[in-house]
Structures are given as C-alpha cells and as structure tokens.
Amino acid sequence: MSNKNSPGPSHERAIYGFVMYMSSTFALCLYLIWAYLPKSWLHYVGLTYWPQKYWALAVPVYCSVCIPFLYFFYTAYNFTITLPLDSINTMQGKCTTKIVK
C-alpha cells in the first residue's frame, strides 16, 4: 500500500536520483582524469580531442567568483524594487505604526 504523503521518495524519484548520482560521479571522474593526466597519456589511450588544460582551472574559478557577485546583485536588485515604508502600496495593519515626518 503506497501512501501519497510519505516523506520518502517514490520509486521513480529514487531511480532518477540514483541515475543523477551516477552521472555526476562519472562526470567528476572524467573531469579529474582530464585535469590531472598528462596530454601524452591521454593521446596514448586514444583520447586526442580535449579542451586546453587552462579550462580545467578557469571554469571552476569563474564559477566560484560568480557566486558572490550573484548574491550581491540579487540583494541590490531587491533593494531597488522594495517600496519605501511610507508608500501607499506598503501593507499596513492595525499593529503597524505610522512614520511621522
């Protein structure tokens, strides 16, 4: 008997999660092999078409630098779209206090 409100994942979601886990592990192993093995070893195995080793370091650095900028710009954007406290469109109720200028 299956309970729709169960906190555990359904069988389909469990399979998708396992496939995603295996795919990401395979991609990480492939990335590490590409990043650390010398080009001569890759050519010896028959893997000749790979991006430059520069991108093995550049892409993670670019991604890690973008994260603080995203936080900053998201916060700045929220400040720009926030209405002033004395705006007529700001929610007010019986427990709020009025700002007197």
Side-chain angles (χ1 to χ4, degrees), residues 14 23 44 47 52 58-59 61 67 74 77 83 93 100:
S23 301
Y44 178 74
L47 304 172
Q52 294 178 356
V59 170
V61 169
I67 290 172
Y74 181 70
Y77 176 69
L83 297 172
V100 179

Side-chain angles (χ1 to χ4, degrees), residues 13-93:
R13 286 186 62 203
I15 292 170
Y16 291 148
F18 178 72
V19 169
M20 289 294 292
Y21 170 74
M22 293 304 291
S23 301
S24 63
T25 303
F26 177 73
L28 177 65
C29 290
L30 189 64
Y31 169 76
L32 292 175
I33 287 170
W34 167 64
Y36 286 112
L37 285 182
K39 187 183 277 190
S40 60
W41 288 17
L42 294 173
H43 283 233
Y44 178 74
V45 177
L47 304 172
T48 57
Y49 184 74
W50 290 90
Q52 294 178 356
K53 297 285 183 164
Y54 165 79
W55 295 107
L57 184 62
V59 170
V61 169
Y62 289 155
C63 291
S64 64
V65 167
C66 283
I67 290 172
F69 283 113
L70 288 175
Y71 280 118
F72 171 75
F73 286 120
Y74 181 70
T75 305
Y77 176 69
N78 280 330
F79 280 137
T80 61
I81 64 172
T82 302
L83 297 172
L85 292 176
D86 59 350
S87 172
I88 191 73
N89 296 324
T90 304
M91 293 178 60
Q92 296 177 357

